[in-house]
Amino acid sequence: MSAAENYREIVEQLNVHAKKQEQTTPQLIVVSKTFDIDTIKPVIAAGARVFGENRVQEAQGKWPELRTYAADIELHLIGPLQSNKTADAVALFDCIQTVDREKIAKSIAKEINAQGKNLKLFVQVNTGSEPQKAGILPQAAHEFVEWCQNDVNLTIEGLMCIPPFDENPGPHFALLRKLARDLDLTKLSMGMSADYLTATEFGATHVRVGSSIFGKR
Ligand SMILES: *Cc1c(COP(=O)(O)O)cnc(C)c1O
């Protein structure tokens, strides 16, 4: 099947599954990292408008052109952000899902002010406390989100997580949901190709799907 067909099928599957679970259908974020303009274009033509990329530089090379194919593209940064890339990221993306430390929060706040841009922000939580993984540790998440809101004046929409590769994701999704509820945050970005239906059951508002749409990277 083509990427466009896969996209349509997953949208339908999310609708059916969410209805069955009495959940609101999550927003499908089409993760287009590593795929080129000609591969992504048909998925835009099929109706996809919300996309995820994990590298600022790669996204800069593709999305100025891709945005010309639809007026209402929403682009999410889902990979770690280095502070020397913050200005470019704030300029290009509509949402940064990987706010996870004070330094990056401060530099995002500075750029939002400098560029006068309204940006959606999620805090990434390292729900598995994996040493190699980005994200704030779960026990520090509450304080960090409040610090972002009160001390740097950032509007945090929700939380994002990437559960450990080799674990049952359910407990991680449940933990993220609990942290968000305690903070009165309504958005949850969780679930990838292997587990987007499970994430839907745990109340995901955004699922990030790449390889089930485009194939192997
Ligand atoms: C690559 C990536 C995805 C998509 O992963 P698939 O398994 O290909 O669906 C989702 N979220 C993040 C943060 C990613 O880097």
Side-chain angles (χ1 to χ4, degrees):
M1 285 214 298
S2 71
E5 287 169 318
N6 291 335
Y7 164 75
R8 284 198 207 92
E9 189 170 288
I10 290 172
V11 168
E12 179 58 22
Q13 207 184 15
L14 284 168
N15 280 329
V16 170
H17 199 71
K19 191 173 259 179
K20 221 190 298 175
Q21 305 291 328
E22 298 181 3
Q23 300 274 2
T24 311
T25 305
Q27 172 66 56
L28 172 60
I29 300 174
V30 177
V31 177
S32 49
K33 67 189 187 201
T34 75
F35 292 98
D36 62 14
I37 288 175
D38 288 340
T39 309
I40 301 168
K41 244 161 72 176
V43 182
I44 297 176
R49 291 296 179 270
V50 184
F51 289 85
E53 290 279 347
N54 69 335
R55 289 172 194 274
V56 176
Q57 207 167 346
E58 180 189 338
Q60 282 178 313
K62 300 191 303 198
W63 284 95
E65 177 179 342
L66 282 166
R67 278 193 202 270
T68 65
Y69 300 111
D72 48 352
I73 298 278
E74 190 180 298
L75 196 58
H76 291 236
L77 179 64
I78 60 171
L81 179 59
Q82 265 98 52
S83 51
N84 64 344
K85 293 270 168 60
T86 309
D88 289 341
V90 168
L92 180 67
F93 288 91
D94 304 291
C95 177
I96 295 176
Q97 296 207 358
T98 51
V99 182
D100 67 350
R101 57 195 191 276
E102 291 193 358
K103 187 177 177 198
I104 219 70
K106 279 183 186 160
S107 87
I108 290 170
K110 183 171 147 254
E111 280 306 324
I112 284 177
N113 289 331
Q115 299 182 27
K117 197 173 161 183
N118 203 358
L119 210 67
K120 291 181 190 162
L121 300 171
F122 286 62
V123 165
Q124 181 178 355
V125 182
N126 184 356
T127 56
S129 302
E130 296 171 278
Q132 81 285 6
K133 194 166 270 175
I136 188 100
L137 291 172
Q139 63 269 27
H142 194 103
E143 196 183 343
F144 177 65
V145 170
E146 289 189 332
W147 177 85
C148 288
Q149 292 166 328
N150 302 329
D151 292 48
V152 242
N153 214 8
L154 289 176
T155 304
I156 305 296
E157 307 246 328
L159 303 179
M160 178 272 221
C161 77
I162 310 169
F165 180 68
D166 53 355
E167 281 182 33
N168 173 9
H172 296 274
F173 297 155
L175 172 59
L176 199 71
R177 180 177 60 187
K178 183 183 183 309
L179 288 168
R181 278 187 185 157
D182 289 347
L183 283 155
D184 276 328
L185 300 175
T186 54
K187 301 288 187 339
L188 286 171
S189 172
M190 54 193 200
M192 319 199 329
S193 287
D195 51 22
Y196 59 87
L197 294 180
T198 306
T200 304
E201 292 163 21
F202 283 89
T205 61
H206 296 68
V207 295
R208 311 177 307 266
V209 180
S211 46
S212 288
I213 295 172
F214 292 109
K216 273 206 197 102
R217 285 182 293 270

